[in-house]
Amino acid sequence: MTWSGDDVRAVADAIATVQDAPRPQDAAQDLNRRLDAALDRAQERQLVEERRAYVVASLQQGLREQGFHVGDATLVGSTIEGEVAFRAVRADRRWVDVNVPLTGHVFYDVDGTDRVTEQGTDGSAYTRCDETEARLDALHADLDARFGIEAGELLWEAKDPNRVRRNANALPTGGPAATRTKG
């Protein structure tokens, strides 16, 4: 009823008028189809909610294991469609706020104490938070290994789009053919 209550109530109200319909059997079959569709939508929505609850619980557990005190998850907004949010705080008072929507990307808002601004190769100003990024990457690896949750690349405002390429290790050069002497 949480997910399709309005649809079910509309069908219940329409049941009273079935006997007055020109073709009561057709009207009853139509109401049955409407009720089945409402049930299907409710089941789909329940699965989405259960998936989100699993992601939230997994994130909370992973952050606890990284030494964070994790607050309770709460629904943001006045409708059941809002994001679920919670705050995790370390002993040194550094924090991360986590927002999990029904679908789409998880959002992190961090305290930014390790934020560094630097100039990129294109002359633009970019930010990086190496420790925070490393912690979140470790959290994502843990979520994948233990819970089967695959997280995408971390993105943030003013992230250098060339950062990964610039910091990546170069592929080895040479090899047997390059070091072989002719003789």
Side-chain angles (χ1 to χ4, degrees), residues 8-26:
V8 172
R9 283 187 285 282
V11 169
D13 292 343
I15 287 174
T17 64
V18 168
Q19 292 302 325
D20 299 332
R23 299 179 61 177
Q25 187 172 2
D26 291 344

Side-chain angles (χ1 to χ4, degrees), residues 130-177:
D130 294 337
E131 180 185 352
T132 300
E133 183 179 13
R135 281 189 177 275
L136 291 175
D137 281 339
L139 174 65
H140 289 176
D142 182 51
L143 291 174
D144 187 23
R146 293 187 330 150
F147 302 106
I149 298 172
E150 292 183 30
E153 177 186 1
L154 288 170
L155 303 172
W156 61 87
E157 190 176 324
K159 180 180 180 181
D160 184 350
N162 299 314
R163 183 167 189 262
V164 173
R165 283 181 288 187
R166 188 171 62 235
N167 291 338
N169 292 332
L171 293 173
T173 58

Side-chain angles (χ1 to χ4, degrees), residues 6-7 9 13-14 37-38 53 78 96 104 106 113 128 140 149 157 174:
D6 293 340
D7 294 333
R9 283 187 285 282
D13 292 343
S78 59
V96 59
V106 172
T113 55
R128 62 183 172 84
H140 289 176
I149 298 172
E157 190 176 324

